[in-house]
Amino acid sequence: MSAENMEYLTIALPKGKVFGKAAELFKKIGYTAEGLSDKSRKLIITNESKKIRFIITKTADVPVYVEYGAADIGVIGKDVLMESAKDVYELLDLQIAKCHLMMAVAKKAKRKHLADYANTRVATKFPHIAAAFFNSKGMQMEYIKLHGSIELGPIVGLSESIVDIVETGTTLRENDLVEYAFIADATARLIANRVSFKMKFARISKLTEALRQVVNSAD
Amino acid sequence: MLEIPYGMRDFLPHDAAIKRNIENVLADLFKVWGYDEVITPTVEYLDTLTIGNKNSMQRHMFKFFDKNNRTLALRNEMTTSIARLVSSRLQNEDVPFKLSYICKVYRYEKAQTGRQCEFYQAGVELMGNGEPTGDAEIVALAIKSMLKAGLGNFQVCMGQVAFINGLMQQWNLSAEEQKCIRTALEKHDLVKLEKAVSEAALTDDAKAFLRSLPMLHGDKTVLARAKAFAVNEQSRQALQNLQKIYEALQLYGVAEYVVFDLGVIRDFSYYTGMVFEIYAPGLGSPLCGGGRYDNLLADFGRKCPATGFALGLERLMLALKNQGKAECLTNNKENYVAYAAGHLAEAVEKAMVLRAAGEITELAGTAQKLAEAEAYCQKKGYVNLVYIQ
């Protein structure tokens, strides 16, 4: 980081679902920039007068940018954060993009106890979270990493269960799956690089406080 | 190209020169501050290295077995090895011990720039001094190390472990609650902290203060703000201790680099008092850290207060590069001595005179024509050509 980076506050936002809500929250506290959109072709959008830089990245990359200090702070779903196991500071629950992590199984082949699934296959986008969950239950599983349409797993006989995030449960129902075990709540979090948090403390703590007020008043 | 194992690196001449020059600067500095160098083995028994630090460091160690099937490990830091040394080999000698080291340590972690699995640490330990002046000396020496190496832009964050422990005690938190709050503070997971605090049986004031703990960051007014909440002896003394260390740092003329951060808790569980970390812009992790660890030596059978720091040499190099201060630490190639056929004797003599004067001097391998010597001199980047004919 150069002296220039010291001057700017760099904020990483993920493309997709979370982007709009996060950008709106930042706008409410006066942090925005002209042309800030996840459809933008520009990857860095700067607000010169306020010395803010937004970088827009793929969801899973936000914790990476923040851990390395390429971005000072970022917004990311707790699910992605848990899966990445990155060493970053978690500053605030933004209460947006509410969903939860769970294990689901095929309705027709539902087994009686969780332990009945021991040593079976799990299809998931979150192999680390899934492994932590099943390990805590003393279960050894076979994890099959998929990158999308996880629900397909049990339907086509790829796996006995899935571990995924669910918001309303519509996709599960439409695919004859049923939620079997709750794993963790996941909402979007404000995260910070550990050195940026110290070196740019005044700006980051002020921003966090302002966001906290907006989040609390929305409750 | 042949591979090298995961997390290992080569230093080519350019970087090796910078590293060696920093080491020399630090070795001289530690020496003039009265610290004696010690060297301990790279390999120790796993049991020795995990005394007093029963947390998760073990899974980050390189382990193997000796012929009797005892578990060995590569040292993952130096403090424990020095504690062993002081309580066994030096047990009949009087305190204080002022010891320093510059060496390789090993951690089985994800390799990143500035922190491979094998990396260099330079540090000092002051054993037998339990006073704030001891802590101040350590922090001052850490700051001087940064300055001497040429680093201009950095910040020291100083906290006190006993302050947080005292608070938890005075509020009668259960062991489970304490652990939860401590983990949240250590990981700086404020969402988890929020949850743990709101579920604990505490007054609203106490809750508000615990929540604000990671935000207690800044100049000495932080101490005044914290004082209002430090009811019991331990937490009050912890703040007084920080105040005294700060006053001593003013005497050293380095207090301007220090900010207080009562949320700083370092990864190692053996710290008992003042803790600090040093940060530089652009580096995702601290480049130096240390603090007081009064109980570690007792685990080795010699009760003795102690304080110290360790800095990561590769991280310091990276910070110097970021700040444009590394190039001046490379070796300046000064002289190339070449000679025409029949003049070897004068050339050797000239080269030896220059070398005796401390100038970096290369002597040509064979007799050369002037044009050849000039071309070589330029290619290798020597400042002066001495041509003898």
Side-chain angles (χ1 to χ4, degrees):
Chain A
M1 200 188 299
S2 57
E4 188 200 355
N5 286 27
M6 224 16 230
E7 208 182 312
Y8 285 87
L9 190 72
T10 307
I11 305 171
L13 296 179
K15 279 182 187 161
K17 259 197 319 207
V18 178
F19 180 85
K21 290 173 183 161
E24 200 181 312
L25 273 180
F26 276 100
K27 197 174 172 187
K28 277 188 188 155
I29 62 162
Y31 281 71
T32 189
E34 202 186 317
L36 181 61
S37 149
D38 64 340
K39 305 285 179 295
S40 161
R41 290 203 156 228
K42 273 176 81 174
L43 299 174
I44 302 185
I45 297 156
T46 311
N47 179 336
E48 283 298 341
S49 62
K50 290 216 153 192
K51 299 289 179 212
I52 309 166
R53 261 198 310 231
F54 287 93
I55 57 178
I56 299 164
T57 77
K58 248 189 109 163
T59 308
D61 295 341
V62 170
V64 181
Y65 280 89
V66 175
E67 186 187 38
Y68 281 91
D72 298 308
I73 58 173
V75 172
I76 191 63
K78 178 70 176 172
D79 48 326
V80 180
L81 188 60
M82 277 166 77
E83 182 63 22
S84 74
K86 292 288 178 204
D87 191 5
V88 295
Y89 284 177
E90 200 175 320
L91 300 182
L92 185 65
D93 185 344
L94 295 173
Q95 307 282 0
I96 52 173
K98 276 189 188 153
C99 56
H100 67 277
L101 283 151
M102 51 94 232
M103 169 197 183
V105 300
K107 210 171 178 177
K108 276 190 226 150
K110 190 174 161 185
R111 300 181 189 179
K112 202 166 174 196
H113 304 288
L114 180 61
D116 296 338
Y117 285 94
N119 304 96
T120 60
R121 297 163 300 176
V122 188
T124 184
K125 248 196 292 193
F126 305 99
H128 292 113
I129 295 174
F133 170 72
F134 288 112
N135 287 346
S136 76
K137 305 284 177 196
M139 294 164 70
Q140 297 274 324
M141 309 293 279
E142 182 180 342
Y143 301 100
I144 302 169
K145 164 105 187 188
L146 296 179
H147 296 87
S149 306
I150 314 295
E151 295 82 2
L152 259 177
I155 302 172
V156 298
L158 177 70
S159 69
E160 279 68 36
S161 65
I162 64 168
V163 164
D164 203 7
I165 46 167
V166 46
E167 223 178 300
T168 59
T170 314
T171 320
L172 288 183
R173 279 191 297 277
E174 282 176 0
N175 291 291
D176 289 322
L177 297 177
V178 53
E179 182 170 337
Y180 195 78
F182 170 87
I183 298 176
D185 273 316
T187 42
R189 306 294 158 93
L190 178 70
I191 58 172
N193 173 269
R194 32 190 302 204
V195 173
S196 298
F197 183 77
K198 309 282 182 197
M199 301 287 291
K200 302 183 183 178
F201 181 80
R203 288 189 80 179
I204 294 177
S205 62
K206 209 172 118 196
L207 176 146
T208 309
E209 244 356 272
L211 279 176
R212 189 194 308 278
Q213 304 228 323
V214 173
V215 170
N216 288 346
S217 68
D219 282 351
Chain B
M1 184 136 11
L2 292 171
E3 289 179 36
I4 55 173
Y6 180 80
M8 304 293 147
R9 72 172 284 195
D10 295 315
F11 284 85
L12 297 179
H14 178 82
D15 281 343
I18 295 175
K19 180 179 142 300
R20 178 67 75 197
N21 287 325
I22 297 174
E23 284 173 352
N24 290 345
V25 165
L26 294 176
D28 283 346
L29 183 70
F30 296 166
K31 190 170 73 186
V32 300
W33 278 59
Y35 287 79
D36 298 321
E37 183 173 5
V38 284
I39 298 169
T40 65
T42 314
V43 182
E44 299 244 15
Y45 288 116
L46 177 68
D47 291 346
T48 309
L49 293 180
T50 48
I51 286 180
N53 200 25
K54 290 147 193 97
N55 63 7
S56 53
M57 283 317 285
Q58 235 203 80
R59 60 196 180 91
H60 298 300
M61 287 184 185
F62 284 85
K63 292 182 258 284
F64 43 103
F65 300 106
D66 69 6
K67 281 182 178 169
N68 301 319
N69 271 333
R70 286 189 68 178
T71 314
L72 307 173
L74 299 182
R75 59 179 175 218
N76 63 325
E77 45 103 33
M78 277 296 287
T79 304
T80 308
S81 294
I82 292 184
R84 173 189 60 72
L85 191 83
V86 164
S87 41
S88 54
R89 301 294 303 281
L90 298 173
Q91 63 174 326
N92 296 322
E93 308 214 3
D94 291 335
V95 291
F97 293 106
K98 301 178 79 174
L99 303 173
S100 75
Y101 57 86
I102 298 175
C103 65
K104 290 181 189 181
V105 300
Y106 299 81
R107 287 183 202 165
Y108 214 122
E109 286 172 338
K110 199 166 162 259
Q112 34 176 263
T113 323
R115 174 57 56 89
Q116 301 292 312
C117 294
E118 176 186 68
F119 62 99
Y120 287 82
Q121 275 193 336
V124 301
E125 312 290 352
L126 172 53
M127 293 166 165
N129 180 331
E131 298 301 311
T133 46
D135 291 303
E137 177 167 313
I138 291 298
V139 176
L141 182 49
I143 293 171
K144 285 289 179 196
S145 301
M146 300 294 135
L147 293 171
K148 274 275 179 190
L151 199 68
N153 191 355
F154 62 91
Q155 191 180 67
V156 182
C157 287
M158 193 162 80
Q160 236 287 8
V161 176
F163 175 69
I164 296 159
N165 293 342
L167 284 184
M168 303 242 218
Q169 236 176 41
Q170 84 189 19
W171 287 328
N172 292 320
L173 290 168
S174 72
E176 188 57 34
E177 287 168 332
Q178 290 199 22
K179 194 178 150 218
C180 203
I181 291 173
R182 208 185 304 269
T183 322
L185 282 171
E186 197 174 298
K187 293 215 176 332
H188 224 280
D189 183 343
L190 304 196
V191 178
K192 190 173 171 182
L193 180 70
E194 172 71 40
K195 192 163 174 282
V197 168
S198 49
E199 283 168 4
L202 289 170
T203 62
D204 286 349
D205 276 0
K207 284 184 180 179
F209 183 70
L210 265 180
R211 280 190 194 109
S212 70
L213 204 52
M215 299 292 176
L216 275 178
H217 174 108
D219 62 11
K220 56 187 176 196
T221 56
V222 165
L223 296 185
R225 270 158 67 201
K227 220 170 179 174
F229 291 89
V231 181
N232 80 347
E233 193 59 19
Q234 194 183 359
S235 47
R236 238 174 338 144
Q237 275 186 0
L239 292 178
Q240 269 170 20
N241 174 259
L242 281 182
Q243 176 72 33
K244 283 184 185 155
I245 295 170
Y246 187 77
E247 282 163 12
L249 286 170
Q250 285 173 319
L251 301 178
Y252 283 101
V254 294
E256 60 179 298
Y257 294 99
V258 178
V259 299
F260 292 100
D261 189 329
L262 294 174
V264 172
I265 304 187
R266 302 214 356 104
D267 291 345
F268 291 94
S269 56
Y270 54 56
Y271 289 110
T272 56
M274 180 280 296
V275 285
F276 74 100
E277 290 187 333
I278 301 183
Y279 308 97
L283 222 59
S285 351
L287 62 156
C288 177
R292 177 163 286 285
Y293 51 98
D294 286 345
N295 297 335
L296 181 63
L297 275 92
D299 290 330
F300 285 94
R302 180 172 190 170
K303 197 164 171 21
C304 173
T307 175
F309 76 79
L311 67 85
L313 268 179
E314 289 93 334
R315 285 186 181 164
L316 177 56
M317 282 171 69
L318 214 55
L320 287 166
K321 278 184 189 167
N322 286 345
Q323 298 184 17
K325 300 287 169 58
E327 285 313 303
C328 55
L329 287 163
T330 54
N331 291 332
N332 187 17
K333 295 202 163 200
E334 284 155 319
N335 308 305
Y336 180 58
V337 179
Y339 55 94
H343 294 274
L344 176 63
E346 296 113 287
V348 169
E349 193 190 338
K350 180 68 185 166
M352 293 309 278
V353 168
L354 290 169
R355 287 167 179 164
E359 293 186 20
I360 297 175
T361 302
E362 182 180 338
L363 176 64
T366 55
Q368 283 178 321
K369 294 204 174 77
L370 179 61
E372 282 172 350
E374 276 169 349
Y376 185 87
C377 188
Q378 199 175 13
K379 194 171 109 192
K380 289 278 182 168
Y382 283 98
V383 180
N384 304 315
L385 170 65
V386 181
Y387 189 73
I388 296 172
Q389 56 190 339

